[in-house]
Amino acid sequence: TQSTRPQRILDAVQKNATRGDPRSVVKAIDHFCRNKEWAMNVGDEKGCILDSVVSEVNPATVLELGTYCGYSTVRIASLLPPHAKLITLEFNPDFAAIARQVIAWAGLEDKVQLVEGASGDWIPKMKEQFGVKTFDLVFLDHWKNSYLPDTKLMEECSLLRKGSVLLADNVICPGAPDYLEFVRSSPRYKSQYFKSHLEYTKVEDGLEKSVFLG
Ligand SMILES: CCCNc1ncnc2c1ncn2[C@@H]1O[C@H](/C=C/CNC(=O)c2cc(-c3ccc(F)cc3)cc(O)c2O)[C@H](C)[C@H]1O
Ligand SMILES: [Mg+2]
């Protein structure tokens, strides 16, 4: 039977990366996506910006919206301090199944909770289901028209505290114009644009870092 692109990404990880070595998993996916098949991972260039924001925030609790194959999940989790937790939401069961295996190959199962389901259903249940008070860092990389409604939902559910950092991928390409307008004009956020390129290409894209001011 025909394999899917996520399955071919998992194969590339299992063939070329070392079990328990997150950096080798990241390298294997980047090599595959740069040389064999493009895929919508945040990639190595924007990934370095992601790494620097994660290191700066040094979060105890992280929420990722949109796991896909788990590339950014592995990047983030590999930088977390010992007892920190990353919850990642993915509503496509096929992608979730692949991501679980990528996360396991990297040896990061203990730091990552992959929740299969839609952000709109799960954000309101974060406190009761996972004992999360607030998130120190949120990485938004799911459907671009869901960034804004989900940000408003996180505010309504009191999941953001003074200093919580939102980091959004693709604010230029494919773009998230309503989200960008919101976080850049709202007095409750301090926003900063990190110019970069669409993964594995020369097309402009970037990450928007927005600090919630409470
Ligand atoms: C209920 C919905 C919301 N709730 C949800 N709850 C849970 N999971 C959700 C939700 N909404 C979506 N997901 C999952 O997240 C993933 C979705 C990821 C989406 N990412 C893009 O579309 C993109 C495109 C390009 C791109 C650029 C240029 C091109 F030419 C082509 C493509 C580049 C990029 O870096 C990109 O991240 C995954 C596929 C999908 O199942
Ligand atoms: Mg993206």
Side-chain angles (χ1 to χ4, degrees):
T1 55
Q2 256 305 322
S3 69
T4 64
R5 180 166 305 178
Q7 275 169 332
R8 293 193 289 273
I9 287 173
L10 174 60
D11 284 347
V13 165
Q14 293 174 334
K15 280 200 187 70
N16 304 304
T18 309
R19 266 188 183 284
D21 176 356
R23 302 317 298 175
S24 76
V25 169
V26 167
K27 266 178 79 71
I29 296 174
D30 282 330
H31 187 270
F32 180 80
C33 294
R34 188 175 285 286
N35 299 295
K36 300 276 185 347
E37 291 185 66
W38 187 92
M40 58 183 174
N41 315 117
V42 73
D44 44 357
E45 191 181 321
K46 288 186 288 178
C48 285
I49 300 166
L50 171 62
D51 292 353
S52 60
V53 171
V54 174
S55 303
E56 172 207 342
V57 175
N58 198 33
T61 55
V62 184
L63 175 64
E64 176 179 62
L65 301 175
T67 317
Y68 187 43
C69 296
Y71 174 91
S72 48
T73 320
V74 167
R75 271 200 99 110
I76 296 167
S78 69
L79 297 173
L80 295 182
H83 305 291
K85 272 271 165 226
L86 192 169
I87 296 173
T88 183
L89 301 184
E90 175 53 60
F91 73 179
N92 179 307
D94 301 327
F95 297 151
I98 297 290
R100 286 189 204 287
Q101 296 172 79
V102 169
I103 293 159
W105 197 269
L108 292 166
E109 311 93 307
D110 297 350
K111 292 185 177 294
V112 176
Q113 171 120 37
L114 195 162
V115 178
E116 222 171 293
S119 51
D121 299 334
W122 280 97
I123 286 171
K125 295 192 280 190
M126 280 296 150
K127 292 182 192 255
E128 74 193 81
Q129 292 288 326
F130 304 107
V132 167
K133 254 179 61 41
T134 57
F135 286 106
D136 302 321
L137 174 67
V138 181
F139 182 53
L140 298 93
D141 196 19
H142 58 335
W143 294 153
K144 308 314 159 194
N145 59 13
S146 297
Y147 284 15
L148 182 53
D150 284 347
T151 297
K152 290 179 174 172
L153 185 57
M154 286 186 285
E155 283 186 27
E156 283 154 30
C157 298
S158 310
L159 285 167
L160 304 179
R161 52 128 176 113
K162 192 170 168 32
S164 289
V165 172
L166 304 185
L167 188 65
D169 189 24
N170 310 116
V171 293
I172 301 300
C173 177
D178 58 344
Y179 173 82
L180 217 43
E181 163 62 28
F182 177 77
V183 290
R184 289 179 173 175
S185 60
S186 165
R188 301 185 76 189
Y189 292 90
K190 175 88 184 74
S191 265
Q192 185 183 359
Y193 174 60
F194 291 83
K195 183 178 163 121
S196 184
H197 295 93
L198 176 68
E199 49 267 28
Y200 319 116
T201 78
K202 293 184 168 39
V203 173
E204 183 183 341
D205 188 22
L207 301 170
E208 188 83 359
K209 177 191 168 195
S210 306
V211 184
F212 185 61
L213 303 173

